[in-house]
Amino acid sequence: MSAEKITHLSPLLHQASHVLAERGEGIYLYTREGKRYIDCTAGIGVTSTGHCHPKVVAAVREQVGKLIHGQYTTIMHQPILDLSARLAEKMPGDIDTFFYASAGAEVAEGVMRLLRHATGRPNIIVFHGGFHGRTMGAASMTTSGTAYTSGLQPLMGGVIVAPFPAALRYGWSEEQATDFCLRELDFIFDTLSAPQDTAGFLVEPIQGEGGFIPANRRFMQGLRERADRHGMLLAVDEVQTGNGRTGKYWAHSYFDVQPDILMTAKGLASGFPLSCFAAPRALMKKGRPGSQGGTYGGNVVACVAALATMDVIEEEQLVENAARQGQHLRQGLEALQQKHPDIAEVRGLGLMQGCEFHKNGKPDGDRAARVAQACEDQGLLLLRCGPQRQVVRWLPPLIITQSQVDEALGIFGKALESAH
């Protein structure tokens, strides 16, 4: 895609690829010229059922002929009620009440407000490497890279950053990293934010933009134990990890932990803008009047798309497929790692896998960029993440088959050989 084709878009928007897509079908994107790409970005984990799934398309086409915008604090529409009932069945514990918006950053802001309102405490603990959005409050809680906050200081106060068990970055074992993080968390309570001033935690079960770094059971349960002991709340950001992406419906369930608040978006509606956060009704009622709202939140067409998405996920057993194909993908990536020691680590869960590249023991974003470009040249779209963009991330649609995984791995293997 030439520069003149994007002249009227902001120059601050970074284009990850040079592809000008004409249409999408399943796991594939096609240009006007007919070139086909295997899309292992899924719109940053959004098109969970693939591009233009027939069931989603049919549901949306029917809905746009009846009602396109039913603003849900002005009037009520049946799809949002149906979706809330369906989602409540998927929620952990007694979480049963929803606030809808259009993007992940909006619900991150909503979670921030509820944490403070419900506890009457000012401070929120987030974790180093986390990403929660670009709006001011969400950006203040984001530490996955300085690009999201550079030039914006001073940021919102009341945010405390605690370490996350990123073992490779520390050069430790997972156990050592977890011990350190939990010790430092207790030290934070002694030095930066007393428990009586701390509303709670906001954490990604797998850090997304930060480098596809999973948490672990002992760390997450350590957060839960401290929240219970000090009267705090535990909120999980499942914007990227939720709706079957990791081989379980919610990634936090890998760690046998019960959150108080859950936020999600991305794969919820197969490409339509829809996000939400959920909490038990008694907790949600502790928010203050006027603290929740938004013109486009809970859009009726997006809600219909989400209902159709949930149908497809269940009927086609996509959570199970994500677990199965994620394991196959992981095995293939680890086999390639044996041939290419500059892949310092392969990590992730389900169909959320990342390969971190190093050179001389340090993150190598240049190598990751060359590999991703070589993949694009051969018809495979991948994204990068991590503070030095040193991680090539895999986020294929949940419908991907084993043969399609193998085809993508074959291209990736060739790119590793050629992109030196």
Side-chain angles (χ1 to χ4, degrees), residues 110-121 124 141 199-202 233-235 261:
V111 167
M112 174 195 72
R113 288 178 173 86
L114 184 60
L115 286 170
R116 287 173 164 172
H117 289 171
T119 62
R121 301 174 181 180
I124 297 168
M141 299 187 290
F201 308 110
L202 176 59
L233 297 170
L234 174 60
I261 301 171

Coordinates of all heavy atoms in Angstrom, one line a residue, residues 110-121 124 141 199-202 233-235 261:
G110 N -14.4 2.7 33.2 CA -15.5 2.4 34.1 C -15.1 1.6 35.2 O -15.6 1.7 36.4
V111 N -14.2 0.6 35.0 CA -13.7 -0.2 36.1 C -13.0 0.7 37.1 O -13.1 0.5 38.4 CB -12.8 -1.3 35.6 CG1 -12.0 -2.0 36.7 CG2 -13.6 -2.4 34.8
M112 N -12.2 1.6 36.7 CA -11.4 2.5 37.5 C -12.4 3.3 38.4 O -12.2 3.4 39.7 CB -10.6 3.5 36.7 CG -9.9 4.6 37.5 SD -9.4 5.9 36.4 CE -10.9 6.6 35.9
R113 N -13.5 3.8 37.9 CA -14.5 4.5 38.7 C -15.1 3.6 39.7 O -15.3 4.0 40.9 CB -15.5 5.1 37.7 CG -15.1 6.2 36.9 CD -16.2 6.7 36.0 NE -15.9 7.9 35.2 CZ -15.2 8.0 34.1 NH1 -14.8 6.8 33.5 NH2 -14.9 9.1 33.5
L114 N -15.5 2.4 39.3 CA -16.2 1.5 40.2 C -15.3 1.1 41.3 O -15.7 1.0 42.5 CB -16.8 0.3 39.5 CG -17.6 -0.7 40.3 CD1 -18.8 0.1 40.9 CD2 -18.1 -1.9 39.6
L115 N -14.0 0.8 41.0 CA -13.1 0.4 42.1 C -13.0 1.5 43.2 O -13.1 1.2 44.4 CB -11.7 0.2 41.5 CG -11.5 -1.1 40.7 CD1 -10.1 -1.1 40.0 CD2 -11.6 -2.3 41.6
R116 N -13.0 2.7 42.8 CA -12.9 3.8 43.7 C -14.2 4.1 44.4 O -14.2 4.3 45.6 CB -12.4 5.1 43.0 CG -10.9 5.0 42.6 CD -10.5 6.2 41.7 NE -9.0 6.3 41.7 CZ -8.4 7.1 40.9 NH1 -9.0 7.9 40.1 NH2 -7.0 7.2 40.9
H117 N -15.3 4.1 43.7 CA -16.6 4.4 44.3 C -17.0 3.3 45.3 O -17.5 3.6 46.4 CB -17.7 4.5 43.2 CG -17.6 5.7 42.4 ND1 -18.3 5.9 41.2 CD2 -16.8 6.8 42.5 CE1 -18.0 7.1 40.7 NE2 -17.1 7.6 41.4
A118 N -16.7 2.0 44.9 CA -17.2 0.9 45.7 C -16.4 0.8 47.0 O -17.0 0.4 48.1 CB -17.1 -0.4 45.0
T119 N -15.2 1.2 47.0 CA -14.4 1.0 48.2 C -14.2 2.3 49.0 O -13.8 2.3 50.2 CB -13.0 0.5 47.9 OG1 -12.3 1.4 47.0 CG2 -13.1 -0.9 47.1
G120 N -14.4 3.5 48.3 CA -14.1 4.8 48.9 C -12.6 5.0 49.1 O -12.2 5.9 49.9
R121 N -11.8 4.3 48.3 CA -10.3 4.4 48.4 C -9.8 4.9 47.1 O -10.3 4.6 46.0 CB -9.7 3.0 48.7 CG -10.2 2.4 50.0 CD -9.6 1.0 50.2 NE -10.1 0.4 51.4 CZ -9.8 -0.9 51.8 NH1 -9.0 -1.6 51.0 NH2 -10.3 -1.4 52.9
I124 N -5.2 2.6 42.9 CA -5.4 1.4 42.1 C -4.0 0.8 41.8 O -3.2 1.6 41.3 CB -6.2 1.6 40.9 CG1 -7.6 2.1 41.2 CG2 -6.3 0.3 40.0 CD1 -8.4 2.6 40.0
M141 N -3.0 3.9 33.6 CA -2.9 2.6 34.1 C -2.1 1.6 33.2 O -2.0 0.5 33.4 CB -4.2 2.0 34.4 CG -5.0 2.8 35.4 SD -6.6 2.0 35.9 CE -7.6 2.1 34.4
A199 N -7.8 0.7 46.6 CA -9.1 0.2 46.1 C -9.0 -1.3 45.6 O -9.9 -2.1 45.9 CB -9.7 1.1 45.1
G200 N -8.0 -1.6 44.9 CA -7.8 -2.9 44.4 C -6.8 -3.0 43.3 O -6.0 -2.1 43.0
F201 N -6.9 -4.2 42.6 CA -6.0 -4.5 41.5 C -6.7 -4.6 40.2 O -7.8 -5.0 40.1 CB -5.3 -5.9 41.7 CG -4.7 -6.1 43.1 CD1 -5.3 -6.9 44.0 CD2 -3.6 -5.4 43.5 CE1 -4.8 -7.1 45.3 CE2 -3.0 -5.6 44.7 CZ -3.6 -6.5 45.6
L202 N -6.0 -4.1 39.1 CA -6.4 -4.4 37.7 C -5.3 -5.1 37.0 O -4.2 -4.6 36.9 CB -6.8 -3.0 37.0 CG -7.2 -3.2 35.6 CD1 -8.4 -4.0 35.4 CD2 -7.4 -1.8 34.9
L233 N -10.6 -5.0 45.9 CA -11.3 -5.7 44.8 C -10.2 -6.2 43.8 O -9.2 -5.5 43.6 CB -12.3 -4.8 44.2 CG -13.5 -4.3 45.1 CD1 -14.3 -3.2 44.4 CD2 -14.3 -5.5 45.5
L234 N -10.5 -7.3 43.1 CA -9.7 -7.8 42.1 C -10.4 -7.7 40.8 O -11.5 -8.4 40.6 CB -9.3 -9.3 42.4 CG -8.5 -10.0 41.3 CD1 -7.2 -9.3 41.0 CD2 -8.3 -11.4 41.7
A235 N -9.9 -6.9 39.8 CA -10.5 -6.8 38.5 C -9.6 -7.4 37.5 O -8.4 -7.1 37.5 CB -10.7 -5.3 38.2
I261 N -14.5 -8.2 39.4 CA -14.9 -7.5 38.2 C -14.2 -8.1 37.0 O -13.0 -8.4 37.1 CB -14.5 -6.0 38.3 CG1 -15.2 -5.4 39.5 CG2 -14.9 -5.2 37.1 CD1 -14.7 -3.9 39.9

